Amino acid sequence: MGQCDRNARSPGVAGVIVGHPFDTVKVRLQVQNTEKPQYRGTLHCFQSIIKQESVLGLYKGLGSPLMGLTFINALVFGVQGNTLRALGQDSPLNQFLAGAAAGAIQCVICCPMELAKTRLQLQAAGPARAYKGSLDCLVQIYRHEGLRGINRGMVSTLLRETPSFGVYFLTYDVLTRAMGCEPGDRLLVPKLLLAGGTSGITSWLSTYPMDVVKSRLQADGLQGTPRYRGIVDCMRQSYQAEGWQVFTRGLASTLLRAFPVNAATFATVTVVLTYIRGEEDQVDSEAAPGASTTPAGPALAQPSSL
């Protein structure tokens, strides 16, 4: 497990760095005031942030996902793998259940991490900024609101992450099986890129409306009096004010980020772990000369991505 996590960390960090500007745009579009909209769409939001805050404005809140990356990877890998083994059969349904369990457990870290990220992405630039960084943000929230404040948006995060991770692992498993992804296949990497990217898009589409609600709840009260009393009230007010389109706000930016980031992460980690597993099998066979030399067929890894 430790070896897997160390090798998963590098592509995970790269994915966070590449994808964070798209996430910043997504959050800005999700929570902007519809009565006085600041951005007309994804491209205009990108342009406005760069013009007003420089390229660094796109990377506000980057420290939070980077800090949580290792812990989330460790939780997701461990819970998904152990749950799958406990269920006893590697079936599509069990892939979904194992992924859902992993998604639910990692919310303990994911929710505070995303709360800090969201607050930093939305705060004003320059001397007017309220927080110096991710840790300062969480410390201030804890001082003013306690543990309840740190866990703001936890229920909506659970409602998003649990089915989303189930769909994520299920889609990857189904696609890699359907395309015959096996070690030694000369088209293995392109197949893994397609499977990983598609898994990322599918998982986001499955729960995106709840992501909008989560962002609004975590940003609520940041620039004035809190508006929402909970998930249902947030959904009701948002729908009444903006119609069903509100639940797709920022979706284009999310999908633009989802395919390349998840494609690269899944492909890189799967190839690395398959290679490591092959080396381990070779060492085991050399250590036990009397054992069968027929390879058991290493299963493809199921990496997580932020």
Side-chain angles (χ1 to χ4, degrees), residues 65-258:
L66 285 179
M67 283 192 304
L69 178 65
T70 300
F71 301 107
I72 286 179
N73 272 343
L75 272 178
V76 170
F77 274 114
V79 173
Q80 195 269 348
N82 288 326
T83 303
L84 197 57
R85 282 190 290 273
L87 292 171
Q89 182 182 3
D90 185 3
S91 65
L93 175 59
N94 287 346
Q95 284 284 348
F96 176 86
L97 293 175
I105 294 297
Q106 59 93 43
C107 287
V108 176
I109 298 173
C110 177
C111 180
M113 180 192 81
E114 292 208 357
L115 174 64
K117 175 184 69 67
T118 298
R119 294 289 181 95
L120 289 166
Q121 285 172 326
L122 296 174
Q123 77 170 346
R129 63 179 185 168
Y131 311 114
K132 299 174 184 177
S134 301
L135 285 177
D136 180 59
C137 178
L138 291 174
V139 168
Q140 288 197 44
I141 293 173
Y142 177 76
R143 285 175 178 171
H144 291 96
E145 305 174 51
L147 284 175
R148 185 174 182 178
I150 292 291
N151 291 301
R152 179 191 291 264
M154 178 62 79
V155 176
S156 57
T157 302
L158 276 167
L159 292 174
R160 182 195 69 176
E161 296 291 86
T162 303
S164 176
F165 268 78
V167 171
Y168 191 54
F169 284 100
L170 170 63
T171 304
Y172 184 70
D173 181 66
V174 169
L175 289 177
T176 52
R177 291 176 189 271
M179 292 188 292
C181 296
E182 296 292 341
D185 185 350
R186 63 186 180 87
L187 295 177
L188 178 61
V189 172
K191 289 178 180 179
L192 293 177
L193 289 170
L194 178 60
T198 304
S199 300
I201 286 179
T202 305
S203 67
W204 272 110
L205 288 174
S206 67
T207 58
Y208 191 77
M210 188 54 61
D211 183 67
V212 176
V213 173
K214 180 203 71 72
S215 294
R216 292 192 164 207
L217 289 172
Q218 290 186 327
D220 194 30
L222 184 60
Q223 298 174 339
T225 305
R227 296 176 54 191
Y228 309 120
R229 295 190 298 272
I231 294 174
V232 175
D233 185 54
C234 178
M235 295 176 70
R236 180 182 60 80
Q237 287 195 47
S238 298
Y239 177 77
Q240 288 178 348
E242 306 170 55
W244 64 267
Q245 294 92 337
V246 66
F247 299 112
T248 63
R249 182 83 63 78
L251 181 59
S253 174
T254 300
L255 297 185
L256 285 172
R257 168 183 178 262

